[in-house]
């Protein structure tokens, strides 16, 4: 609401006095500010010149000044960059919706998690609660720092007795949860939440140590990461949740803007170091495998919640890499060298570094690592490749893989492309090892591990089990000398690995609640050694040794009890929970290719560097292929280009004064393929009689396009276009009709189109071949009898290259003159392609399928010759199994699926039907309607021998389609027509359905020039009910097209049919005699 302006009267005396007062105050204020500004500028200039003066005074080199100036500029640049990033993050969080809308079509990676993934939900209600409670959180933090933390720091060090927090302000910008994803399918007794945290705050915390006149602080923090919250166990009592466990799956991103003396931490080098140290401190208690557990009820095993059993173990085989970038260049890049690559692998806080291979862009490491996986999905394998250099190692690429994929596949043996570099791939074999609480399969695991030979002194053999030790507490430990309380810690050792617990100060009843995990090679031969010591590691408070064989005989391989300490007090004891789990590779669940043998397992075995592992595949091969659901779903579209009529004349002479004709041809486009018919010279009613067959996938929106052109010397003229929907063709299965040409004045095109039915009945093959060989087309095409589908999945045990290395295998599938190639799989003797092909076949009894395997389409690796006739004896005409390869190793095989489908055309079916009857014996009216079209391309058969009677006849098909409430009449042909002149007549047929007062049902065909046996094959439809159709009489007249002045006879024959006497539902197609009188 706006305030009313005061009038001059209401203002009273103050209105008049104010201007004078202001005038007197302004000059004094301005003069003071100006003086301060001048002094500040002078001070800055003096401060800038002071280092130069001091350098000259003390005789330092000018390089010292330049170095200081360079450090200052780098510090300034780093600090400005931090400030800019902080401001940008604050702006994004405040204007998240606008920024997201603006960027949504730019890059999917820039979207927040709740936009990018549909299963991540946005929780604005939680952000509103945080925003409302933020000031009170700030008050609590200030109280905690001032009243609790500051006194503790002052008491801990004499140098910090004057430390105090001078300002604690969390600012106005609260932390935001930009998305939440919930998992409830893993365990019914827990709920897992992933919170996507984003904090870009204007927090300001200042600390001062007055004794040293030191001030420091923080002004602005960015923190972004995914915080996993686990609510477990769910209980049947308030508060329904036993404990809350929180941790970051990966290190969050942290950026701190320092103030005061800590500005020095923004100097390049120190900046990265301090941020890393702070992140290490955070990771030590809040990044996997470390967890923060808050119990909500009593009597919980907090140690087991804080360190639960792993989800599984991933055994990583780092095999090799190829096409790495060359980094060791000489003479400033004039001479290109190679690289000395090594790899760094990370899973959470677990890090492994391979040995480096000198001067090689295709290194082979052959190293094995075992990593503990605590959370899936979520944890990732991160791999980076570097070039080893004396100073700073060069980056050669990175890749990431979610370990949830490995858990699902059980075994992966693949090449992965390295990111952020122009080239490079790395070959990994990853195995998911499940944890079995039983020793039944231990001997099998030990035998399998023996086949994995490890070379080199530093390489660890594969593990057979993992051991988890939960160190809970101890009681009545002995006192130190002088009857003082000890500060006990525990050392737990298994073979050569020793781990230490935290130290509990000043008590002989310590509570540790720590957990430790060990890899075990052979549980029957190893022991757990436990030593309780004072914090100086010199005084031993007690010891204990537990053979792992005791765990093997325990229920579920677990022990949870008190153990009496040896060489300790009489009542000294320690509570420990020990759990052993056998590492099992579930071969039955493997989804991917078995790992290939390593190069060098033949006669010419190459040298193996120290530390390399030689692995033997143990995975089980599938018995049958596993193509996707769309395999063998394609169909065949048969296109019969018959003729065209009334085309536009384009070849005009003398500037159009003399009308010419056209030289028409047709371009057919469908499914990315194109066909071109022959050119018919100088004809506006061309007859092509050409056949085309196309293999198509049923995709929505596809069309068959026919473009007609007039062939010219320069540019061909357009004669019209027809488009037919593939969806409509598939629905109708068969169509034979005239299509009016679009985009031209006149013209129509006669097409017969069929989506050919596929059958798996081998008894139909002879009839199909018999019909196909009867057909004759001007483009010399014989209709295909079958469609062969081939799925090439994988091969196994292929021979190595001549150099002893694994081949880059590809498969070429051939049938007669048609060949298809798979992709090339890099470096594997057991490649997996998963590719499908299809082929049209004219005679499956004679054709042969040939599969050739080669190295990069060069060196032969084996072949397979499969006569297709073998499929005719198989059930459903399918072969799906492993086939041995010729010209390869004895164990070399290929897994493929060959599936045969016979193409049983409607016309072939009707041909069989007409051999025995003139009336179509089918209740399917659509099939009956299609059968009559066969007579266009084969000699027609009459009910009576026309050659002996020489009667004029006409062939008609009459049927009623109940689904469409439509009567259709097809005029096929005439024969033995009379001729009343020297030349054959120009024949056409007209008919009408009587009674018809308005003559609305009168139709006529096109004119066939100079023919006593004209073929029309034209269909006419009439919309009417079945009752109306039965009341009609069909009157047909065959006429000669003559001019008005001609003396030739017009009527060539006549026929009248009573439709009530015909079986219209079934359909009738036959020859009828013509007469000059009405029958």
């Amino acid at each position: 609401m706006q305030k009313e302006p005061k009038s001059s009267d209401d203002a009273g005396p103050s209105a008049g006095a104010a201007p004078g007062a202001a005038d007197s105050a302004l000059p004094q204020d301005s003069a003071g500010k100006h003086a301060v500004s001048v002094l500040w500028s002078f001070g800055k200039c003096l401060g800038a010149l002071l280092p130069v003066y001091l350098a000259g005074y003390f005789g330092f080199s000018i390089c010292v000044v330049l170095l200081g100036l360079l450090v200052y500029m780098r510090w300034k640049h780093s600090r400005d960059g931090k400030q800019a990033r902080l401001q940008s993050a604050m702006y994004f969080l405040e204007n998240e919706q606008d920024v997201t809308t603006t960027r949504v079509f730019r890059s999917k990676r820039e979207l927040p998690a709740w936009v990018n993934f549909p299963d991540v939900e946005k929780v604005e209600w939680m952000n509103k609660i945080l925003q409302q409670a933020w000031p009170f959180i700030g008050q609590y933090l200030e109280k905690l720092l001032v009243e609790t933390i500051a006194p503790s720091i002052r008491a801990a060090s004499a140098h910090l007795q004057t430390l105090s927090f001078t300002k604690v302000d969390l600012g106005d910008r609260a932390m935001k949860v930009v998305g939440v994803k919930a998992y409830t399918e893993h365990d019914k007794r827990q709920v897992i939440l992933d919170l996507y945290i984003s904090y870009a705050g204007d927090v300001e915390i200042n600390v001062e140590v007055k004794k040293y006149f030191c001030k420091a602080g923080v002004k602005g923090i960015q923190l972004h990461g995914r915080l996993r919250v686990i609510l477990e166990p769910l209980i049947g009592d308030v508060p329904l949740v036993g404990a809350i466990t929180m941790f970051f799956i990966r290190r969050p991103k942290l950026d701190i803007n320092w103030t005061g003396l800590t500005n020095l931490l923004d100097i390049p080098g120190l900046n990265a170091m301090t941020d890393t140290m702070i992140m290490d401190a955070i990771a030590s208690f809040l990044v996997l495998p470390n967890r923060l557990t808050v119990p909500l009820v009593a009597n919980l095993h907090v140690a087991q919640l804080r360190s639960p059993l792993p989800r599984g173990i991933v055994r990583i085989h780092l095999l090799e890499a190829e096409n790495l970038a060359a980094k060791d260049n000489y003479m400033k890049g004039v001479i290109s060298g190679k690289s000395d690559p090594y790899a760094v692998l990370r899973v959470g806080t677990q890090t492994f570094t391979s040995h480096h291979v000198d001067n090689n862009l295709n290194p082979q490491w052959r190293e094995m690592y075992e990593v503990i996986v605590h959370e899936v999905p979520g944890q990732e394998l991160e791999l980076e490749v570097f070039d080893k250099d004396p100073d700073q190692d060069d980056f050669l690429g990175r890749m990431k893989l979610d370990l949830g994929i490995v858990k699902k596949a059980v075994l992966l043996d693949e090449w992965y492309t390295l990111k952020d570099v122009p080239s490079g791939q790395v070959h990994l074999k990853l195995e998911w090892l499940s944890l079995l609480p039983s020793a039944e399969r231990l001997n099998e695991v030990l035998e399998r591990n023996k086949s994995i030979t490890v070379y080199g002194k530093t390489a660890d053999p594969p593990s057979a089990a993992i051991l988890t030790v939960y160190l809970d507490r101890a009681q009545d430990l002995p006192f130190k000398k002088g009857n003082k309380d000890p500060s006990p810690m525990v050392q737990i050792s298994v073979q050569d690995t020793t781990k230490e617990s935290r130290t509990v100060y000043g008590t002989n009843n310590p509570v540790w609640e720590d957990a430790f995990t060990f890899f075990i090679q052979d549980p029957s031969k190893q022991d757990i050694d436990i030593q309780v010591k004072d914090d100086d590691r010199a005084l031993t408070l007690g010891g204990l040794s537990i053979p792992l064989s005791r765990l093997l005989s325990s229920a579920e391989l677990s022990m949870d009890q008190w153990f009496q300490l040896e060489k300790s007090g009489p009542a000294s004891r320690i509570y420990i929970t020990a759990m052993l789990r056998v590492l099992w590779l579930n071969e039955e669940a493997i989804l991917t290719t078995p790992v290939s043998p390593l190069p060098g397992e033949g006669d010419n075995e190459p040298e193996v560097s120290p530390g390399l592992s030689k692995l033997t595949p143990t995975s089980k091969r599938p018995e049958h292929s596993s193509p996707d659901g769309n395999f063998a779903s394609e169909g065949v579209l048969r296109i019969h280009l018959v003729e065209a009529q009334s085309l536009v004349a384009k070849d005009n002479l003398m500037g159009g004064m003399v009308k010419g004709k056209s030289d028409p041809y047709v371009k057919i486009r469908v499914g990315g393929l194109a066909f071109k018919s022959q050119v018919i010279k100088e004809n506006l009613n061309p007859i092509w009689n050409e056949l085309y067959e196309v293999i198509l996938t049923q995709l929505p929106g596809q069309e068959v396009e026919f473009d007609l052109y007039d062939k010219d010397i320069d540019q061909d003229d357009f004669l019209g276009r027809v488009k037919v929907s593939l969806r409509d063709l598939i629905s109708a299965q068969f169509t034979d009709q005239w299509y009016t040409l679009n985009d031209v004045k006149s013209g129509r095109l006669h097409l017969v189109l069929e989506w050919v039915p596929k059958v798996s009945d081998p008894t139909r093959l002879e009839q199909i071949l018999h019909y196909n060989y009867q057909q004759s087309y001007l483009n010399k095409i014989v209709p295909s009898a079958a469609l062969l589908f081939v799925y090439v999945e994988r091969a196994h045990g292929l021979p190595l290259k001549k150099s002893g290395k694994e081949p880059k295998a590809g498969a070429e599938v051939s049938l007669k003159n048609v060949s298809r190639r798979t992709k090339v799989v890099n470096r594997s003797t057991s490649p997996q392609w998963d590719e499908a092909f299809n082929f049209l076949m004219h005679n499956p009894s004679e054709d042969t399928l040939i599969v050739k395997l080669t190295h990069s389409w060069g060196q032969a690796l084996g072949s397979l010759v499969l006569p297709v006739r073998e499929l005719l004896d198989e059930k459903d005409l399918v072969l799906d199994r492993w086939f041995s390869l010729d010209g390869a190793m004895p164990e070399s095989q290929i897994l493929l699926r060959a599936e045969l489908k016979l193409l049983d055309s409607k016309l072939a079916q009707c041909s069989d039907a007409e051999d025995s009857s003139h009336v179509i014996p089918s209740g399917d009216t659509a099939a009956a309607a299609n059968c009559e079209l066969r007579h266009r391309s084969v000699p027609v058969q009459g009910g009576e021998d026309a050659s002996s009677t020489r009667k004029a006849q006409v062939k008609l098909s009459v049927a009623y389609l109940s689904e469409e409430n439509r009567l259709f009449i097809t005029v096929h042909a005439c024969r033995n027509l009379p001729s009343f002149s020297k030349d054959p007549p120009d024949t056409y047929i007209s008919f009408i359905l009587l009674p018809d007062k308005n003559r609305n049902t009168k139709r006529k065909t096109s004119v066939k020039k100079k023919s006593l046996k004209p073929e029309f094959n034209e269909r006419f439809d009439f919309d009417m009910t079945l009752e109306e159709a039965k009341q009609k009489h069909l009157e047909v007249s065959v006429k000669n097209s003559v001019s008005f002045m001609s003396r030739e006879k017009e009527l060539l024959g006549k026929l009248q049919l009573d439709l009530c006497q015909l079986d219209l539902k079934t359909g009738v197609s036959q020859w009828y005699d013509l007469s000059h009188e009405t029958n």
Side-chain angles (χ1 to χ4, degrees):
M1 177 180 286
Q2 296 182 352
K3 295 182 179 181
E4 294 286 343
K6 292 184 179 181
S7 65
S8 58
D9 296 335
D10 296 335
S14 62
D23 291 341
S24 62
L26 282 174
Q28 297 177 3
D29 222 12
S30 301
K33 289 182 178 178
H34 181 68
V36 171
S37 176
V38 170
L39 288 174
W40 178 247
S41 299
F42 176 74
K44 286 197 295 184
C45 292
L46 185 63
L49 294 174
L50 184 62
V52 180
Y53 171 77
L54 292 175
Y57 180 79
F58 290 104
F60 294 137
S61 170
I62 190 65
C63 295
V64 176
V65 179
L66 294 177
L67 180 61
L69 182 61
L70 179 62
V71 171
Y72 172 77
M73 292 176 64
R74 292 290 302 274
W75 170 83
K76 185 69 175 174
H77 177 74
S78 175
R79 184 165 179 78
D80 291 345
K82 276 192 174 184
Q83 192 68 26
R85 290 194 298 272
L86 182 63
Q87 294 296 330
S88 176
M90 289 179 179
Y91 175 80
F92 176 80
L93 290 179
E94 290 179 352
N95 304 273
E96 184 179 3
Q97 185 171 358
D98 294 338
V99 175
T100 300
T101 305
T102 304
R103 295 182 179 179
V104 69
F105 295 110
R106 292 187 191 172
S107 172
K108 190 174 181 182
R109 292 179 298 175
E110 295 178 0
L111 299 179
W114 62 268
V115 175
N116 204 7
F117 305 104
D119 53 351
V120 177
E121 301 175 1
K122 193 171 182 180
V123 282
E124 277 303 313
W125 60 271
M126 185 180 295
N127 292 327
K128 290 180 180 179
I129 294 174
L130 285 174
Q131 184 66 46
Q132 195 77 1
W134 197 247
F136 303 96
I137 297 175
Q139 293 176 17
Y140 170 74
L141 180 62
E142 180 179 8
K143 184 177 179 181
L144 180 67
L145 291 174
V146 173
E147 298 181 3
T148 304
I149 296 179
S152 300
I153 296 175
R154 288 195 291 266
S157 174
H159 300 287
L160 299 177
Q161 289 181 355
T162 58
L163 180 141
S164 64
F165 288 94
T166 58
K167 186 175 183 179
V168 178
D169 183 11
L170 282 187
D172 299 327
R173 295 177 175 86
M175 181 181 66
K176 282 195 173 184
V177 180
V178 296
V180 173
K181 182 175 181 179
Y183 304 90
T184 57
E185 63 272 13
H186 300 293
D187 189 341
K188 296 300 182 182
R189 295 198 61 195
Q190 68 175 199
V191 175
I192 299 177
L193 301 174
D194 279 349
L195 306 182
Y196 295 85
I197 304 297
S198 184
Y199 177 59
D202 51 351
V203 59
E204 185 173 0
I205 301 176
N206 295 330
V207 64
E208 180 180 6
V209 182
K210 294 181 180 180
K211 181 178 179 180
Y212 300 103
F213 305 100
C214 175
K215 293 183 179 181
V218 172
K219 189 175 183 179
I221 294 177
Q222 281 195 72
L223 180 67
H224 308 280
R226 180 168 63 161
L227 179 69
R228 175 158 291 186
V229 179
I230 301 179
L231 309 178
E232 69 169 339
L234 300 180
I235 57 178
D237 199 357
V238 176
L240 300 181
V241 176
I244 299 176
T245 302
M246 295 176 287
F247 54 88
F248 287 100
I249 293 180
R250 288 180 292 276
R251 291 189 173 212
K253 296 179 181 178
L254 177 68
D255 200 355
I256 302 175
N257 194 16
W258 302 100
T259 62
L261 185 62
T262 48
N263 271 328
L264 296 175
L265 298 179
D266 278 334
I267 295 176
L270 286 178
N271 180 18
M273 187 184 303
T274 54
D275 286 355
T276 301
M277 291 174 60
I278 294 172
M279 277 311 308
D280 287 342
I282 295 175
S284 65
F285 71 94
L286 206 55
V287 176
L288 273 180
N290 304 299
R291 304 167 184 239
L292 176 62
T293 301
V294 181
L296 302 181
V297 296
N299 301 322
L300 280 179
H301 290 284
V302 178
Q304 295 186 20
L305 292 176
R306 188 180 293 121
S307 301
L309 275 175
R311 302 285 184 180
I313 304 297
V314 172
R315 185 173 289 159
I316 304 171
H317 300 276
L318 175 64
L319 301 178
E320 58 189 317
E322 68 174 13
N323 298 329
L324 298 180
K327 293 292 185 178
D328 296 339
N329 299 322
Y330 305 98
M331 297 180 63
K332 296 184 178 180
V334 175
I335 300 177
S336 178
K338 294 187 177 182
S339 291
D340 309 319
Y342 69 94
V344 179
L345 300 91
R346 297 185 187 90
V347 176
T349 56
Q350 304 167 85
T351 302
F352 306 92
T353 302
S354 74
H355 74 283
H356 75 274
V357 180
D358 290 327
N359 204 31
N360 199 326
L361 299 182
N362 301 289
Q364 294 200 11
W365 292 291
R366 304 292 170 180
E367 297 189 7
M368 182 193 71
Y369 313 100
E370 293 173 332
V371 297
I372 300 171
V373 182
H374 297 278
E375 293 292 327
V376 284
Q379 280 195 280
E380 292 180 333
L381 166 64
E382 303 177 43
L383 182 145
E384 292 180 317
V385 183
F386 295 93
D387 167 36
K388 185 72 174 177
D389 284 331
D391 48 1
Q392 183 176 359
D393 297 345
D394 297 315
F395 177 71
L396 295 179
R398 66 166 54 91
M399 58 81 64
K400 288 185 179 181
L401 178 68
D402 192 322
L403 294 179
I405 299 174
V406 184
K407 180 182 179 182
K408 182 178 180 180
V410 179
L411 187 147
L412 287 177
D413 184 3
E414 295 185 7
W415 286 85
Y416 296 92
T417 301
L418 295 174
K419 306 295 184 182
D420 303 328
V421 286
S423 66
Q425 291 180 310
V426 63
H427 186 191
L428 298 177
K429 176 191 169 187
L430 305 167
E431 299 171 336
W432 179 269
L433 304 178
S434 303
L435 308 183
L436 300 184
S438 167
E440 294 178 359
R441 298 184 181 271
L442 179 59
N443 291 332
E444 187 177 346
V445 172
L446 292 172
E447 288 298 321
R448 179 186 297 166
N449 288 350
K450 289 179 182 178
S451 64
I452 305 178
T453 307
V454 180
Y455 295 89
K457 297 180 180 179
T458 60
D460 292 327
S463 302
I466 64 164
L467 171 69
T468 299
V469 178
Y470 295 103
L471 177 62
D472 191 356
R473 66 187 67 199
Q475 287 182 354
D476 299 326
L477 295 179
F479 293 100
K480 297 197 298 183
K481 290 182 179 180
N483 207 25
K484 293 182 180 179
D485 286 328
S487 298
M489 52 81 62
V490 178
Q491 292 179 338
I492 303 179
S493 302
V494 176
Q495 203 163 342
D496 299 328
T497 304
T498 299
K499 298 185 179 183
E500 293 186 351
S501 73
R502 63 188 179 93
T503 301
V504 181
Y505 293 94
T507 179
N508 67 339
N509 295 292
V511 177
W512 293 285
E513 292 186 339
D514 282 345
F516 309 93
T517 302
F518 300 87
F519 285 100
I520 306 298
Q521 276 76 48
D522 189 349
S524 60
K525 300 178 181 180
Q526 293 176 272
D527 300 332
I528 310 173
D529 182 64
I530 300 172
Q531 297 294 322
V532 184
K533 297 184 178 182
D534 194 37
D535 62 339
D536 60 1
R537 279 36 171 206
L539 176 62
T540 300
L541 303 176
L544 174 67
S545 180
I546 305 174
L548 290 180
S549 56
R550 288 182 59 184
L551 280 171
L552 293 176
S553 59
S554 302
E556 296 186 351
L557 308 184
S558 301
M559 297 176 65
D560 185 8
Q561 65 185 68
W562 288 98
F563 291 89
Q564 189 70 33
L565 289 173
E566 300 173 358
K567 298 180 182 180
S568 184
S572 299
R573 59 178 186 167
I574 188 170
Y575 194 90
I576 288 177
T577 301
M579 304 177 70
L580 189 70
R581 292 293 181 265
V582 176
L583 303 181
W584 173 249
L585 177 64
N586 187 6
E587 296 178 346
E588 297 179 357
I590 292 177
L591 302 178
T592 55
T593 317
V595 68
S596 54
L598 299 182
E601 291 182 354
D603 296 331
N604 300 323
E605 182 166 331
E607 293 182 5
V608 182
S609 302
L612 301 189
S613 318
K614 185 176 179 182
L615 313 175
T616 303
T618 59
S619 53
K620 183 180 179 181
R621 292 186 294 157
E623 295 182 0
H624 302 287
S625 64
S626 53
D628 59 33
N630 294 324
F631 176 68
S633 62
E634 296 87 349
V636 175
L637 176 64
R638 191 167 285 169
I639 303 171
H640 184 190
L641 175 64
V642 186
E643 58 185 320
Q645 288 185 354
S646 305
L647 300 181
V648 178
K650 291 289 185 178
D651 297 338
N652 299 325
L653 306 176
M654 297 178 65
M657 297 179 62
V658 178
K659 288 285 185 181
K661 293 188 177 182
S662 291
D663 306 323
Y665 69 92
V666 182
K667 286 183 178 180
I668 306 172
R669 295 183 180 89
V670 56
L673 300 175
F675 306 94
K676 182 179 177 181
S677 73
Q678 63 177 333
V679 179
I680 307 297
K681 295 290 186 179
E682 296 183 357
N683 200 327
L684 299 181
N685 300 288
I687 298 177
W688 287 285
N689 189 29
E690 297 182 9
L691 184 72
Y692 305 94
E693 293 178 327
V694 189
I695 302 174
L696 294 175
T697 303
Q698 301 183 33
L699 297 176
Q702 281 189 298
E703 290 182 326
V704 189
E705 183 175 337
F706 301 86
D707 293 327
L708 278 72
Y709 294 92
D710 167 37
K711 185 67 176 179
D712 285 332
I713 299 175
D714 47 2
Q715 185 175 0
D716 297 346
D717 297 315
F718 180 69
L719 295 178
R721 174 181 292 117
V722 171
K723 291 184 179 180
V724 184
S725 169
L726 181 62
R727 179 180 178 181
D728 295 342
L729 287 176
I730 296 175
S731 177
Q733 294 288 307
F734 190 103
T735 179
D736 178 359
Q737 65 183 71
W738 289 86
Y739 294 89
T740 302
L741 297 175
N742 298 320
D743 304 327
V744 287
K745 294 181 180 179
S746 66
R748 61 177 186 165
L749 183 65
H750 186 192
L751 300 171
V752 179
L753 306 172
E754 182 177 14
W755 184 259
V756 186
K758 298 180 297 183
V759 299
S760 301
D761 182 7
T763 60
R764 290 289 304 157
L765 179 60
E766 184 178 350
Q767 289 82 358
I768 294 172
L769 293 174
H770 176 74
Y771 169 79
N772 288 351
Y773 288 132
Q774 284 184 335
Q775 309 310 302
S776 177
Y777 301 97
L778 294 182
N779 59 343
K780 310 298 183 183
I781 295 294
V782 177
S784 300
L787 180 60
L788 177 65
F789 298 95
V790 180
Y791 180 73
V792 183
E793 181 167 307
R794 65 180 74 188
H796 176 70
L798 297 184
L800 299 175
K801 293 168 54 182
K802 295 179 181 178
S803 62
K805 294 184 178 180
E806 294 176 318
K808 297 180 179 179
E812 182 177 16
V813 186
S814 304
L815 187 74
K816 284 194 171 180
N817 298 324
V818 181
S819 296
R820 303 280 191 270
R821 284 182 172 182
T822 67
K823 62 186 178 184
V824 175
V825 176
N826 285 330
R827 304 295 182 194
S828 178
T829 57
S830 296
Q832 181 166 349
W833 297 285
D834 292 322
E835 295 191 34
F837 309 99
N838 43 54
F839 302 88
L840 287 171
M841 309 178 65
H842 295 298
N843 191 347
S845 302
E846 300 175 356
D847 293 336
T848 301
L849 180 71
I850 301 175
V851 183
K852 295 181 180 179
L853 274 63
T854 58
H855 164 68
S856 298
W857 314 120
Q859 176 187 338
L861 300 175
S863 62
L864 169 67
V865 177
L866 178 64
V868 182
R869 63 175 177 269
E870 292 185 10
L871 275 73
L872 298 174
D873 299 328
E874 299 292 330
K875 181 182 179 182
D876 298 328
L877 310 185
V878 175
L879 271 175
D880 186 356
R881 58 181 174 85
W882 288 92
F883 295 86
S884 296
L885 294 174
D886 298 327
M889 306 288 289
E891 66 273 14
S892 299
Q893 291 182 315
I894 185 171
L895 175 61
L896 63 79
R897 178 185 178 93
E899 186 170 341
L900 188 67
K901 294 291 184 182
L902 302 182
L903 301 177
D904 196 3
S905 170
K906 293 282 187 181
L907 300 179
Q909 299 173 23
C910 295
S911 173
D912 299 338
E914 290 202 2
D915 287 341
S916 57
S917 173
H918 309 308
V919 178
I920 303 171
S922 173
D924 186 351
T925 54
N930 294 334
C931 287
E932 83 262 359
L933 302 176
R934 169 188 169 273
H935 303 286
R936 205 182 27 72
S937 55
V938 296
V940 292
Q941 303 289 332
E944 187 178 354
D945 190 352
S947 60
S948 59
T949 61
R950 303 302 299 173
K951 291 182 179 180
Q953 292 182 321
V954 60
K955 184 170 185 183
L956 304 174
S957 291
V958 184
Y960 186 82
L961 297 179
S962 302
E963 297 84 356
E964 302 179 11
N965 291 328
R966 183 177 299 177
L967 173 72
F968 76 84
I969 300 172
T970 303
V971 180
H972 295 288
C974 295
R975 62 186 179 187
N976 302 329
L977 294 180
S979 177
F980 300 104
S981 64
K982 295 181 180 179
D983 296 324
D986 298 333
T987 311
Y988 72 95
I989 296 177
S990 67
F991 63 88
I992 188 173
L993 292 172
L994 300 176
D996 185 1
K997 295 180 180 180
N998 300 323
R999 305 182 70 80
N1000 293 329
T1001 59
K1002 187 174 182 180
R1003 304 285 191 273
K1004 70 174 183 178
T1005 67
S1006 58
V1007 178
K1008 301 297 180 182
K1009 299 288 187 178
K1010 298 178 174 52
S1011 177
L1012 296 176
K1013 299 189 294 181
E1015 292 189 10
F1016 302 97
N1017 293 318
E1018 297 184 31
R1019 169 174 162 170
F1020 304 89
D1021 296 354
F1022 302 91
D1023 293 325
M1024 59 180 66
T1025 64
L1026 181 61
E1027 290 71 19
E1028 292 174 341
K1030 290 182 177 181
Q1031 297 174 4
K1032 298 292 184 178
H1033 297 271
L1034 175 63
E1035 185 178 273
V1036 181
S1037 299
V1038 182
K1039 297 182 179 181
N1040 180 19
S1041 179
V1042 297
S1043 63
F1044 177 73
M1045 301 296 295
S1046 175
R1047 294 184 179 180
E1048 291 186 33
K1049 191 170 183 180
E1050 181 182 15
L1051 183 65
L1052 300 179
K1054 206 167 185 179
L1055 168 68
Q1056 191 173 53
L1057 290 176
D1058 190 353
L1059 298 188
C1060 67
Q1061 298 179 1
L1062 303 179
D1063 186 357
L1064 297 180
K1065 285 188 176 182
T1066 302
V1068 178
S1069 179
Q1070 69 178 63
W1071 289 97
Y1072 296 94
D1073 293 337
L1074 295 173
S1075 67
H1076 296 289
E1077 303 293 337
T1078 301
N1079 292 338

